[in-house]
Amino acid sequence: MATPETKQIDELGISKDYQYGFHDDVKPTFKSRKGLDEEVINQMCDIKEEPDWMREYRLKAYEIFKQKPMTKWGGDLSQLDFDDIYYYVKASDRSERSWDDVPDDIKKTFDRLGIPEAERKFLAGVGAQYDSEVVYHNIVEELDKIGVVFLDTDTALKEYPDLIKEYFGTIIPSADNQFAALNSAVWSGGSFVYVPPGVKVEYPLQAYFRINSENMGQFERTLIIADEGSQVHYVEGCTAPTYSSESLHSAVVEIVCKKGSRVRYTTIQNWAGNVYNLVTKRAMAYQDAQMEWVDGNLGSKLTMKYPSVYMMEPGARGEILSIAFASKGQHQDAGAKVYHCAPHTTSQITSKSISKDGGRSSYRGWVDVAKGAKGCKSHVVCDALILDKESRSDTYPVIEIAENDTKIEHEAHVSKIGEEQLFYLMSRGLSEEEASTMIVNGFIEPLVKELPMEYAVEMNRLIQLQMEGSVG
Amino acid sequence: MSIDLTIKDLHISVDGNPIIKGFNLSVKQGEVHALMGPNGSGKSTLAKGLMGHPSYDIDSGEVIFNGVDILEMEANERAKLGLFLAFQYPTAIPGVSLANFLRIAVSATRSNGTNGSEENDLIPMREFRKELREKMAQLGVDDSFARRYLNDGFSGGEMKRAEILQLAMLEPKIAILDETDSGLDIDAVRIVGESVSGLVGPELGVLIITHYPRLLDYIRPQFVHILLDGRIVESGGWELTQTLEEEGYDPIREKHGIAETVQ
């Protein structure tokens, strides 16, 4: 029976399985032909009117990409066809500072995703990327005035060329891995954040990434520089339409945490189930700085992402909270890496993964302590919850220690939802589905409580959507 | 008219082994029954079977709640009708606070229809908090108790108090208390006993399943039954607890020709 509500959903063309699976008929102002070569890269540089050094940087990265063999570890990439992808799809001519100036059809998408509303309510700044280009970027006036920069990376390249040139590709060089090389060659969009010394940005800055075109490759590039004693929280969210063919999202995120600064980077990844999400994220933390990654992976076909922190000077701290939820047809190969390069640095990795309906989640972790990095501490906890017999969970922890005077702890637990837990909750009036959802929500609670209220609510809602219909 | 739970010739087996063998009993709202039996007599099997645990196979018999046969119902449907089980060993649900859990459970059982998981199906927060605070005060538990994760790291006494708090909040018609006194020291038994006693009234019927009579000092049952080898072998009043206290189960075993169960 079609209730008024489902009828409305049908009219909107929203897939019932994946709430954000709709696509809008937005005619791009430019779309490169399928596949990648020097010509496509040169076209991009021309359209973007980039300086020569960036053109050279891209072409060099492309050479590296061509030489790198296809990644063999992690997830199954055999179906990923680099020739069947559009590498550059430009939906709008420029990035606007007012939603009123964003083209109507694109603005409609973000309205449906609730982005402008969220900005009004609780954010210090918002960026919105649609396919290859950022269409909207704004920051509250007070922060603008005291020198906080929050721009799309293309605009930042024009307005802050020196800062970009100084840091771009220094945290993650093109040769780091196959997908970092690809991103370096064809990057477009992403955010550039600079927080001046001592400035504490109280509310989160948020970027929202939307893939709209089919067979699209989105390669945003984000660079965050937190100057001495500053503080910032950056949040990103992402969705895409549900197409029958695959799309690729391959971002590079570089973060510099200078002395005494504190950066938190939160991701709630909810790509459609046909997106390859292959992302390189890395931060360098200097003296007494603190870097925190909060990484929630709920969507995508395959995610390979291991946010890392290099602790370069004494007192630096790295913290990574990872939540992965793999459902039918999904493989979440997530994890974390921490490198103790200086004495008296500390790190904490907490990973929680959930597998259901044949989904597979893997934890891949790396803890490294360099020679001479005395008095380091690292604590790793990785918990997996498996909801049924069809689902799978693996852990691949690596610990490399070249220094005796260190304290490393690693705990791992795998659990299943027990019959006794379900019976207990059901005896209090909860249905089996409600009971399972409650157990799953409880399992990730230690991480969700670290999120700002609005994102915690969103996370719980996404978990609930994933759980719906899971009990036959 | 008062609601009743009527059990007729019930047979339950676990992993193919018959445990409950022809059990008959009727508990009405306003009544307090005690079911006493030694270890291995089938007390917990009966309790979980009545609540609908999927591992306990009902071989034959009937369980009628207020005129409705509930044997085909899931545990949550039984709960919504007004049946409650206080567990001997409650399960921990890490990450779920007692208060959050209770708000959803209260909404699910009281609404008796909607699923209670959507925000607008939930009992209003203010109303819920007020009621929870009052009932926690009656039980002598601190406010912070509600913020702790359900049964996670609870002491034996805390677990049992949490069970009784749930009993108080869910307001069932018929409650089964499975060895609620086990693992408690004398003071905890008194607190739990007095709390349950405070809840007993015309709206609530209680079946207290126990090994020792000490909880019954606080909640006087009108009816006492002795469970041996999966069925009731003797029924009577308060005096039966006194006989048990003085003589133990052996004379009753002998009388009914039942060998002691080896655990």
Side-chain angles (χ1 to χ4, degrees):
Chain A
M1 197 185 79
T3 62
E5 201 183 349
T6 57
K7 189 163 169 282
Q8 196 186 5
I9 289 170
D10 290 342
E11 278 165 5
L12 285 170
I14 298 173
S15 149
K16 280 177 208 115
D17 298 329
Y18 172 68
Q19 202 188 349
Y20 308 107
F22 63 88
H23 84 276
D24 291 311
D25 289 323
V26 173
K27 218 177 157 52
T29 59
F30 176 81
K31 189 172 185 175
S32 66
R33 61 181 158 75
K34 261 187 188 175
L36 184 61
D37 55 19
E38 280 88 351
E39 193 185 72
V40 169
I41 293 171
N42 277 314
Q43 254 177 352
M44 280 180 76
C45 295
D46 292 341
I47 292 168
K48 288 174 177 287
E49 296 169 353
E50 285 182 346
D52 288 343
W53 75 265
M54 186 54 80
R55 186 187 300 259
E56 283 158 28
Y57 187 92
R58 287 178 182 275
L59 290 169
K60 205 170 148 195
Y62 178 58
E63 286 304 312
I64 296 169
F65 170 70
K66 279 196 293 184
Q67 285 158 22
K68 291 252 181 202
M70 195 70 172
T71 304
K72 292 275 195 309
W73 52 275
D76 177 12
L77 294 169
S78 61
Q79 302 297 309
L80 178 59
D81 182 357
F82 288 118
D83 295 328
D84 196 35
I85 289 171
Y86 294 104
Y87 285 83
Y88 183 59
V89 181
K90 185 179 180 173
S92 167
D93 281 329
R94 57 182 183 277
S95 169
E96 303 290 354
R97 282 203 70 159
S98 160
W99 281 110
D100 292 340
D101 298 331
V102 173
D104 279 346
D105 40 6
I106 294 175
K107 184 172 168 281
K108 201 176 87 191
T109 305
F110 288 108
D111 277 336
R112 273 163 85 171
L113 297 167
I115 310 302
E117 195 196 346
E119 179 183 12
R120 282 193 298 275
K121 276 190 188 157
F122 63 92
L123 295 169
V126 161
Q129 177 159 349
Y130 201 82
D131 288 339
S132 295
E133 293 287 358
V134 174
V135 296
Y136 173 83
H137 231 278
N138 194 24
I139 185 167
V140 294
E141 217 179 320
E142 300 89 86
L143 291 173
D144 199 16
K145 275 185 190 152
I146 55 173
V148 178
V149 181
F150 181 47
L151 284 171
D152 67 273
T153 308
D154 291 283
T155 305
L157 179 61
K158 294 189 171 71
E159 292 185 14
Y160 298 89
D162 297 342
L163 269 178
I164 297 280
K165 208 169 176 181
E166 187 180 348
Y167 290 102
F168 194 95
T170 57
I171 313 295
I172 302 170
S174 305
D176 189 82
N177 67 71
Q178 183 189 12
F179 292 96
L182 180 61
N183 176 284
S184 299
V186 295
W187 74 269
S188 183
S191 300
F192 172 74
V193 177
Y194 172 76
V195 189
V199 172
K200 292 185 167 57
V201 182
E202 251 177 84
Y203 297 98
L205 300 172
Q206 178 177 290
Y208 199 90
F209 296 94
R210 175 76 181 170
I211 293 178
N212 190 57
S213 303
E214 198 165 0
N215 295 113
M216 160 75 201
Q218 189 176 60
F219 304 95
E220 90 266 9
R221 181 92 185 194
T222 289
L223 173 61
I224 298 174
I225 302 163
D227 218 322
E228 292 189 3
S230 69
Q231 199 171 309
V232 66
H233 184 185
Y234 179 92
V235 188
E236 62 176 0
C238 23
T239 59
T242 308
Y243 290 118
S244 52
S245 58
E246 275 85 28
S247 289
L248 169 64
H249 173 255
S250 188
V252 164
V253 176
E254 299 177 285
I255 299 181
V256 183
C257 310
K258 294 197 178 177
K259 184 179 170 185
S261 67
R262 185 170 173 177
V263 177
R264 174 175 280 203
Y265 191 110
T266 299
T267 303
I268 297 180
Q269 181 267 105
N270 189 29
W271 291 117
N274 57 331
V275 175
Y276 286 94
N277 184 44
L278 311 166
V279 172
T280 311
K281 290 181 162 166
R282 188 176 300 161
M284 290 214 180
Y286 294 90
Q287 193 184 322
D288 299 324
Q290 182 166 340
M291 175 66 210
E292 298 164 29
W293 296 101
V294 180
D295 200 39
N297 291 297
L298 294 114
S300 82
K301 175 193 178 88
L302 167 67
T303 284
M304 287 172 66
K305 179 164 45 140
Y306 325 96
S308 63
V309 183
Y310 282 66
M311 287 151 279
M312 306 303 292
E313 289 177 355
R317 178 170 171 78
E319 204 169 303
I320 297 144
L321 306 175
S322 172
I323 304 172
F325 197 134
S327 196
K328 192 178 177 184
Q330 290 185 297
H331 182 185
Q332 306 285 9
D333 202 89
K337 297 178 184 178
V338 288
Y339 295 83
H340 294 264
C341 307
H344 305 291
T345 51
T346 55
S347 65
Q348 162 88 42
I349 296 172
T350 312
S351 161
K352 297 249 178 189
S353 74
I354 300 148
S355 316
K356 97 175 219 304
D357 291 344
R360 179 180 173 192
S361 56
S362 315
Y363 166 79
R364 204 174 289 277
W366 192 294
V367 176
D368 197 292
V369 179
K371 182 134 190 70
K374 289 180 191 298
C376 292
K377 281 184 200 158
S378 180
H379 188 212
V380 180
V381 180
C382 88
D383 294 340
L385 184 64
I386 303 173
L387 299 198
D388 48 59
K389 284 195 283 289
E390 290 72 42
S391 304
R392 177 174 166 185
S393 171
D394 311 277
T395 53
Y396 306 95
V398 177
I399 300 175
E400 287 221 336
I401 303 166
E403 176 57 55
N404 286 329
D405 176 20
T406 54
K407 191 177 171 206
I408 310 287
E409 293 166 329
H410 181 100
E411 300 170 37
H413 312 275
V414 179
S415 48
K416 293 178 178 148
I417 287 193
E419 194 179 53
E420 294 305 319
Q421 284 182 314
L422 284 178
F423 175 61
Y424 185 71
L425 294 178
M426 287 176 73
S427 79
R428 302 303 186 238
L430 280 72
S431 69
E432 190 174 349
E433 186 176 302
E434 289 160 358
S436 310
T437 304
M438 181 175 273
I439 294 165
V440 168
N441 276 327
F443 176 74
I444 61 162
E445 165 66 14
L447 299 198
V448 170
K449 74 178 181 199
E450 292 298 315
L451 298 173
M453 179 65 143
E454 289 78 5
Y455 300 98
V457 169
E458 174 72 358
M459 185 66 104
N460 283 329
R461 204 180 58 78
L462 291 174
I463 296 280
Q464 195 160 340
L465 281 174
Q466 288 265 39
M467 292 299 292
E468 263 170 29
S470 68
V471 178
Chain B
M1 216 192 87
S2 71
I3 287 170
D4 68 321
L5 174 72
T6 298
I7 306 151
K8 291 181 192 163
D9 195 24
L10 188 66
H11 290 255
I12 306 178
S13 59
V14 181
D15 297 329
N17 302 315
I19 307 288
I20 296 296
K21 308 163 186 173
F23 186 93
N24 293 283
L25 184 66
S26 182
V27 180
K28 290 190 179 64
Q29 268 183 311
E31 294 178 351
V32 178
H33 291 249
L35 180 67
M36 306 185 64
N39 285 334
S41 57
K43 298 191 300 292
S44 282
T45 300
L46 178 75
K48 288 187 176 175
L50 290 176
M51 200 66 225
H53 194 295
S55 299
Y56 295 73
D57 300 320
I58 309 294
D59 300 322
S60 62
E62 287 177 53
V63 178
I64 313 287
F65 190 95
N66 195 25
V68 182
D69 186 342
I70 61 169
L71 279 179
E72 292 300 314
M73 291 183 176
E74 300 266 17
N76 58 316
E77 296 171 291
R78 300 183 195 204
K80 286 180 183 190
L81 287 179
L83 184 63
F84 181 89
L85 169 63
F87 284 63
Q88 182 180 7
Y89 303 111
T91 312
I93 313 288
V96 177
S97 75
L98 180 60
N100 269 344
F101 157 71
L102 262 177
R103 187 168 172 228
I104 291 170
V106 165
S107 308
T109 47
R110 287 193 195 163
S111 66
N112 199 14
T114 53
N115 57 24
S117 63
E118 297 292 324
E119 184 63 30
N120 48 15
D121 291 340
L122 291 177
I123 167 173
M125 186 57 102
R126 189 187 289 264
E127 188 184 315
F128 170 75
R129 282 233 176 101
K130 183 168 175 281
E131 191 179 334
L132 180 62
R133 205 168 290 143
E134 283 167 11
K135 291 191 168 157
M136 283 173 42
Q138 283 164 16
L139 262 174
V141 292
D142 192 74
D143 272 1
S144 64
F145 196 57
R147 290 192 293 273
R148 291 177 59 188
Y149 294 154
L150 183 57
N151 299 323
D152 194 21
F154 281 21
S155 69
E158 286 170 335
M159 276 193 194
K160 296 301 166 72
R161 275 196 238 188
E163 291 295 291
I164 301 309
L165 178 62
Q166 292 173 49
L167 168 61
M169 290 296 292
L170 296 184
E171 296 175 347
K173 312 286 191 291
I174 306 286
I176 303 161
L177 273 55
D178 187 11
E179 307 239 8
T180 295
D181 53 348
S182 71
L184 298 186
D185 60 31
I186 306 249
D187 289 336
V189 169
R190 180 178 54 78
I191 291 165
V192 166
E194 286 174 355
S195 307
V196 175
S197 174
L199 296 171
V200 169
E203 297 299 312
L204 178 66
V206 185
L207 175 62
I208 301 169
I209 296 177
T210 186
H211 191 154
Y212 301 106
R214 54 182 188 172
L215 185 64
L216 306 179
D217 289 340
Y218 304 97
I219 324 159
R220 273 290 169 107
Q222 296 109 320
F223 309 95
V224 177
H225 315 275
I226 310 280
L227 181 71
L228 274 182
D229 196 28
R231 62 197 169 86
I232 290 175
V233 293
E234 302 250 339
S235 288
W238 177 249
E239 73 288 345
L240 209 47
T241 65
Q242 300 309 304
T243 318
L244 266 187
E245 186 96 2
E246 285 156 22
E247 302 172 13
Y249 289 103
D250 283 344
I252 305 169
R253 273 199 194 94
E254 253 166 59
K255 185 175 157 192
H256 294 276
I258 295 164
E260 190 168 352
T261 317
V262 182
Q263 286 269 299

